[in-house]
Amino acid sequence: MSDNNADEVPSEDGEVELPADQPVPEGTEPDLGRDVSADMVVDDDATDDLLGGLQIDSTADIEVPDRLVDQVIGQDHARDIILKAAKQRRHVMMIGSPGTGKSMLAKAMSQLLPREELQDVLVYHNPDDGNEPKIRTVPAGKGEQIVEAHKEEARKRNQMRSFLMWIIIAIVIGYALLIEGAVLLGILAAGVIYLAFRYSSRGSDAMIPNLLVNNADHQTAPFEDATGAHAGALLGDVRHDPFQSGGMETPSHDRVEAGGIHKANKGVLFVDEINTLDIRSQQKLMTAIQEGEFSITGQSERSSGAMVQTEPVPTDFVMVAAGNMDAMENMHPALRSRIKGYGYEVYMDDTIEDTPEMRRKYSRFIAQEVEKDGRLPHFDRDAVREVILTAQRRAGRKGHLTLELRNLGGLVRVAGDIARAEDADYTTRDHVLRAKRRSRSIEQQLADEYIERRKDYDMTVAEGDVVGRVNGLAVMGEDSGIVMPVMAEVAPSQGPGEVIATGKLQDIAQEAVQNVSAIIKKFSDEDISQQDIHIQYVQSYEGVQGDSASVTMATAVISAIENIPVDQSVAMTGSLSVRGDVLPVGGVTHKIEAAAKAGVDTVIIPAANLQDVMIEDEFKDQIEIIPVSHISEVLDVALAGEPEKDSLVDRLKNITGQALESGSGSRGHGSPSPQ
C-alpha cells in the first residue's frame, strides 16, 4: 500500500525533518581510524618505545572516538570498503579469522547509512481475503501514531456500541417486565442482544493495524544480527491460531511476525557464519536481496499460519555476510554471486605491520575496552606495554601485531578483573602477567598438564644420548607447544623395504614421510632396499597434521641407520624439501617455550623462522636457539659421537655441494612459505 495517505493522523506530527542525504564530495571523507597523535601528545624522539611515543600516565588519558568505525584497529582495506559500501549501499562479504573485527565493521556500517530514509511497516486486515493481509509503509515514527489513531477510533466505536447495547437491553427488559410480564423471556432476550453486540465488536478490533516494523526510536539505520537465526526469525513467520472459528480466532494480520530481513529494511543485515544457514533459507535470502521485498508466511506446514501470506514486505537492506575460510565452501553459490556481483568481498588480515602509529592505536584499543566494560581500572604505562608485547608474540611474525583483538580484549578484561578484585587504582604489569597465566587457552592448559605427566613417567628425555630417538616439537591448537618424541628403528624386511610411520598421521604428514624417505636414499651409504624403516610418533593421540616434524623424522631415521646416537638435550622443528633444505614452519615461539619447560637445552629451528621468535623473558636464559638451513647442519648439532658424526656430516656436505652445483642453473630465488 502507498505511504502517501496521511488522512488517518494529523499532518502536524511534531517530527523534526532531517536534511536530505547529500553525497559527500571526493576528498572530504571522514577521517576513519584517525591517528591517535591527533588527540594526544607524542614524543617524536621516543617512537621506538612500545607506546609509540605516546605521553600518557594511563589509558585514562587517551580519548576514545565516538564512532565505531574510528575504533577499528587495523583492517584499513576493510574499513575503506565499508565506507564505500555504505555510500553506495553495496553488499559486503568479510572472510577471516574470528575476532578480527567483522561484526564491529558491520555495526559501523549501520552508523554510516542515512537515517532519514527509515520506514515503519504496518500490516492491515484484508476484507477481501483474510489470509492475505495488506502491507503499508510510512515514514519512521508515523506507525505508532497510526496505530494509536485506529485504537482511539475503535475505542470510540466500542463506547457508542456499548451505549446503544445497554439502551436496547433496557428497552427489551422494560418491555418484558411492564407489558408482557415475562421476566425470564426478557432476561434471555437481553443475553442474546449482549452476545450479539460482543461478537460483532470483534470486527472493529480487526481493523486496528499491526505495527510490524517500528523504527521510531532508531537514531541510526537499523542493524540486525541474524547469525544462527532459524527460518522464522530470519524470514518472518505467522503464529499458529488454535481457535480458528466460532468468533474466537485471532485475525491473521495480528499473527504476522517480522523477520530479520524485514527489520533490517533501509539498514544492515549481518549474518556471521553464513554457511550455517540451511540452503532453503539461503535461497530465500537471495530472493529478498534480488527483489527488495519478501512476503511473510508461516514457516511450519502444520501451523495455521502456513495458510497466510502477506503482500510483499520491503527488504531493502545492505547485507554484510561474514565467516571463516570454510564459510565459502558451504555457501550457496548463487547467494555468493549475488553479493559479489553487487558488492565487495574482503579478506580480514590476521596481523598488521608493527609501527609507532599502530602501537598508539593498540594503546587506544585498551582504553576502548576499559571504557566499554565500565568497571575496570585503567591501565598504567607498563601494563599497556605488556599487552602490546603480547600482541607482538601472538602475531607469530617478526615486526607485526596480531589483529585477533577479541582474544587480546579477553586478556585486558581478565587483567582488569584481577586489579578490581584487589581494589587497585590502576591495572599494572603484574596484573597483566598474572592474567596471561590465568587466561591460558584450553589447549595450553592441556599441554602443560601433558608435559607434567610425561615428567612423572619419564616420557620426556632431556639428557643423555639415544640412537633413533629425537625430541620433536609440535603445536596444540593455535598457541600451545609440546615436546613430541619421534623414534625410528631399522629391521630386516620380509619383502621389498618400505618406510612405515605410525601415530595417526594425516595426509600432509604422510607426504612428509615420503620426502624423508627420498632424503634417506640419497644421503645414506646403507643399502635399505631389504630393510623396513619404522617411524613412531610417541603418544600422538591427537594425530599429526603438518610436516613440521620432517627434520625430526629424518634425524631419527639417519641415526637408526648409521647407528649414531642423538643428543637428547636437543629438540627440533622444521620442514624438509626432498633436497634436504630446511623450510620454515609455524608456531616456533610456542614450540621453543615448550622445549624450555620440558628441560631441553637447545632448539634447532629453520633459519627463515629466526625473525619470528618472540619468547618470554623467563625462557631466554634457559634455552639456546640454533637456526639451520640444511639437514647436514641439523645432524651436526643433534648427533653425538664425534668420529661417526663428523664422517657422516662431511659426506652429506660433499653430496649437498655437488647437488647444489649441478642444480644452480635451475634453482629459483623465491623463499618458501611457512608450512
Side-chain angles (χ1 to χ4, degrees):
M1 296 180 66
S2 170
D3 62 349
N4 295 324
N5 296 327
D7 53 273
E8 294 170 296
V9 294
S11 58
E12 297 297 323
D13 53 22
E15 283 194 40
V16 179
E17 294 294 327
L18 297 176
D21 181 37
Q22 298 294 331
V24 180
E26 290 295 329
T28 61
E29 290 87 352
D31 184 14
L32 298 183
R34 64 182 184 275
D35 192 327
V36 183
S37 61
D39 306 313
M40 303 297 300
V41 178
V42 175
D43 184 357
D44 293 333
D45 296 330
T47 53
D48 289 339
D49 178 67
L50 280 171
L51 299 182
L54 203 58
Q55 298 300 297
I56 59 171
D57 294 325
S58 72
T59 52
D61 300 331
I62 300 177
E63 180 182 351
V64 176
D66 294 328
R67 298 192 311 172
L68 279 176
V69 73
D70 293 327
Q71 296 179 17
V72 176
I73 306 297
Q75 311 297 357
D76 292 341
H77 174 62
R79 241 181 10 215
D80 291 342
I81 291 297
I82 288 296
L83 177 62
K84 291 182 176 67
K87 278 186 179 181
Q88 304 297 330
R89 297 189 63 83
R90 304 296 189 198
H91 306 298
V92 180
M93 182 167 74
M94 295 184 285
I95 299 297
S97 302
T100 51
K102 297 187 288 291
S103 60
M104 193 173 185
L105 281 169
K107 290 179 182 178
M109 188 174 186
S110 68
Q111 294 182 349
L112 298 172
L113 292 174
R115 177 185 180 275
E116 59 269 19
E117 296 182 4
L118 299 188
Q119 298 174 330
D120 291 343
V121 180
L122 297 156
V123 54
Y124 287 80
H125 172 68
N126 186 347
D128 298 328
D129 185 355
N131 285 331
E132 190 179 355
K134 292 183 175 296
I135 297 297
R136 178 187 178 193
T137 59
V138 296
K142 290 187 178 292
E144 289 181 337
Q145 299 176 25
I146 292 174
V147 171
E148 286 301 319
H150 275 279
K151 287 182 177 178
E152 182 62 28
E153 184 178 347
R155 280 195 295 269
K156 291 179 180 179
R157 283 198 300 265
N158 287 337
Q159 288 175 356
M160 291 296 298
R161 191 183 298 273
S162 296
F163 180 72
L164 179 62
M165 178 187 69
W166 289 115
I167 290 177
I168 295 175
I169 288 176
I171 292 173
V172 169
I173 292 178
Y175 178 81
L177 289 175
L178 300 177
I179 299 177
E180 297 294 333
V183 178
L184 182 60
L185 181 62
I187 294 174
L188 289 175
V192 171
I193 293 171
Y194 177 82
L195 292 175
F197 269 87
R198 298 300 295 178
Y199 181 82
S200 62
S201 67
R202 294 181 59 84
S204 63
D205 293 339
M207 297 301 294
I208 300 176
N210 176 18
L211 183 56
L212 198 62
V213 178
N214 183 7
N215 284 317
D217 297 330
H218 283 184
Q219 300 302 316
T220 59
F223 174 82
E224 285 295 320
D225 188 346
T227 302
H230 58 78
L234 178 65
L235 307 171
D237 203 353
V238 181
R239 298 193 306 273
H240 175 66
D241 183 11
F243 306 104
Q244 301 177 37
S245 60
M248 301 179 67
E249 69 275 6
T250 302
S252 58
H253 76 283
D254 273 342
R255 294 184 281 123
V256 176
E257 298 286 348
I261 60 175
H262 309 107
K263 295 176 183 178
N265 183 45
K266 302 299 181 182
V268 174
L269 179 71
F270 176 63
V271 185
D272 201 357
E273 305 298 339
I274 183 70
N275 56 312
T276 60
L277 287 179
D278 62 74
I279 294 298
R280 177 175 171 271
S281 294
Q282 291 190 46
Q283 290 173 331
K284 294 191 173 183
L285 181 59
M286 181 179 61
T287 301
I289 293 174
Q290 180 176 348
E291 302 297 332
E293 56 184 15
F294 192 82
S295 299
I296 300 176
T297 186
Q299 298 299 326
S300 174
E301 296 180 355
R302 299 181 179 181
S303 167
S304 61
M307 300 296 296
V308 178
Q309 183 170 357
T310 69
E311 291 181 343
V313 181
T315 57
D316 182 19
F317 56 82
V318 173
M319 181 173 175
V320 179
N324 303 327
M325 289 301 297
D326 61 348
M328 295 183 291
E329 297 177 4
N330 298 321
M331 187 176 179
H332 196 293
L335 176 59
R336 183 183 175 190
S337 174
R338 180 69 53 185
I339 295 174
K340 187 176 181 179
Y342 293 91
Y344 301 90
E345 290 187 341
V346 182
Y347 178 74
M348 306 293 286
D349 296 325
D350 291 330
T351 64
I352 192 167
E353 187 177 353
D354 184 4
T355 64
E357 167 55 17
M358 285 312 305
R359 293 180 182 182
R360 293 193 288 268
K361 288 186 177 181
Y362 269 70
S363 302
R364 189 177 68 193
F365 165 74
I366 299 171
Q368 291 171 190
E369 294 299 302
V370 171
E371 184 175 292
K372 187 186 303 180
D373 188 276
R375 295 167 295 180
L376 305 179
H378 277 281
F379 283 52
D380 65 17
R381 288 176 61 88
D382 290 337
V384 174
R385 287 191 181 98
E386 189 60 38
V387 174
I388 295 175
L389 272 174
T390 303
Q392 291 175 337
R393 293 185 70 252
R394 292 185 177 182
R397 297 174 61 189
K398 196 74 169 182
H400 283 74
L401 295 164
T402 181
L403 285 177
E404 295 184 5
L405 297 178
R406 184 180 297 143
N407 293 337
L408 200 64
L411 175 65
V412 171
R413 283 181 283 276
V414 172
D417 288 343
I418 295 174
R420 185 167 180 260
E422 297 177 355
D423 291 326
D425 294 331
Y426 293 98
T427 304
T428 65
R429 179 175 182 270
D430 179 64
H431 294 137
V432 176
L433 292 175
R434 286 154 59 187
K436 288 167 71 173
R437 292 190 292 269
R438 190 172 297 182
S439 62
R440 294 175 303 161
S441 65
I442 294 295
E443 290 86 356
Q444 184 62 59
Q445 296 176 50
L446 287 173
D448 290 344
E449 183 178 353
Y450 187 52
I451 291 171
E452 289 301 317
R453 287 189 178 184
R454 284 191 165 193
K455 289 180 179 178
D456 292 340
Y457 293 98
D458 294 329
M459 292 304 300
T460 300
V461 179
E463 57 184 16
D465 303 330
V466 180
V467 173
R469 186 191 189 282
V470 180
N471 287 320
L473 298 171
V475 173
M476 291 180 62
E478 296 180 356
D479 59 355
S480 308
I482 59 170
V483 178
M484 180 180 290
V486 175
M487 297 185 181
E489 188 63 65
V490 179
S493 175
Q494 302 298 321
E498 58 180 333
V499 178
I500 303 168
T502 60
K504 297 176 66 175
L505 275 64
Q506 305 299 319
D507 291 342
I508 297 178
Q510 289 282 6
E511 292 171 0
V513 172
Q514 301 303 318
N515 292 342
V516 168
S517 65
I519 295 170
I520 295 167
K521 294 173 184 176
K522 180 176 182 179
F523 294 152
S524 177
D525 280 347
E526 299 291 330
D527 182 9
I528 59 174
S529 61
Q530 301 300 317
Q531 293 178 314
D532 288 337
I533 300 174
H534 296 264
I535 303 172
Q536 179 189 10
Y537 285 79
V538 180
Q539 293 186 328
S540 59
Y541 304 123
E542 301 301 321
V544 180
Q545 296 183 350
D547 64 345
S548 64
S550 299
V551 166
T552 310
M553 279 192 293
T555 304
V557 172
I558 292 174
S559 169
I561 293 175
E562 302 287 345
N563 198 31
I564 303 175
V566 177
D567 185 353
Q568 297 302 297
S569 67
V570 176
M572 62 185 67
T573 184
S575 177
L576 271 181
S577 73
V578 293
R579 307 179 72 167
D581 301 310
V582 179
L583 308 179
V585 294
V588 288
T589 295
H590 306 299
K591 293 175 180 178
I592 293 170
E593 291 180 351
K597 291 179 183 178
V600 172
D601 297 329
T602 304
V603 172
I604 300 173
I605 66 169
N609 282 130
L610 187 60
Q611 63 177 357
D612 301 328
V613 176
M614 296 190 64
I615 61 176
E616 297 278 8
D617 293 340
E618 60 183 296
F619 300 117
K620 289 182 178 178
D621 296 332
Q622 299 180 24
I623 199 105
E624 179 186 5
I625 302 170
I626 299 179
V628 298
S629 301
H630 194 267
I631 184 63
S632 60
E633 300 174 58
V634 176
L635 299 176
D636 192 18
V637 175
L639 296 182
E642 293 301 326
E644 298 87 349
K645 180 185 77 171
D646 292 344
S647 174
L648 174 63
V649 171
D650 290 341
R651 187 168 71 244
L652 291 179
K653 288 181 178 179
N654 184 47
I655 297 174
T656 303
Q658 294 176 3
L660 291 176
E661 185 178 348
S662 62
S664 59
S666 58
R667 180 181 287 262
H669 296 284
S671 59
S673 300
Q675 303 299 312

